[in-house]
Amino acid sequence: MAIGLGRLMGFQFPENFNNPYISRSITEFWQRWHITLGRWMRDYLYIPLGGNRVKPARLYVNLWTVFILSGFWHGAAWNFIAWGRTTACF
C-alpha cells in the first residue's frame, strides 16, 4: 500500500519483500526477505569494510559487524542481536 501511495505522489520506493512465504528453500526465503535492509547493509557497510576480499580473520570481523548492527536495527536487546545475526546473512 505504501509503495502504491508513494507512486501516486511521484515517489519511487524499492520493494522490500518479494513474497518470501512462497519460497522453495531457506536460502530463497532469506533472499526474498528484507531486500532493502540486506542491500543497504551490503552496499554501505559490508563492502566498504572490505567484504570478503580480505584475510579470513578480517572477514569474520566484517560479518560480525554487520550481524551486530543489523541486530541493533531490529531492537536494542540481546535477543535482537541474535536475530540480526540470522537476518544479515547474504
Side-chain angles (χ1 to χ4, degrees), residues 15-61:
E15 231 177 286
N16 193 29
F17 297 99
N18 186 12
N19 299 321
Y21 295 115
I22 65 168
S23 303
R24 295 180 186 216
S25 69
I26 224 33
T27 303
E28 185 182 0
F29 177 83
W30 286 118
Q31 289 172 351
R32 293 169 171 264
W33 186 266
H34 268 319
I35 298 168
T36 52
L37 177 64
R39 188 180 306 146
W40 190 90
M41 290 284 185
R42 181 194 67 208
D43 293 345
Y44 293 102
L45 188 60
Y46 182 70
I47 292 175
L49 286 172
N52 61 352
R53 298 178 186 258
V54 293
K55 294 180 181 180
R58 178 63 187 188
L59 171 66
Y60 292 117
V61 169

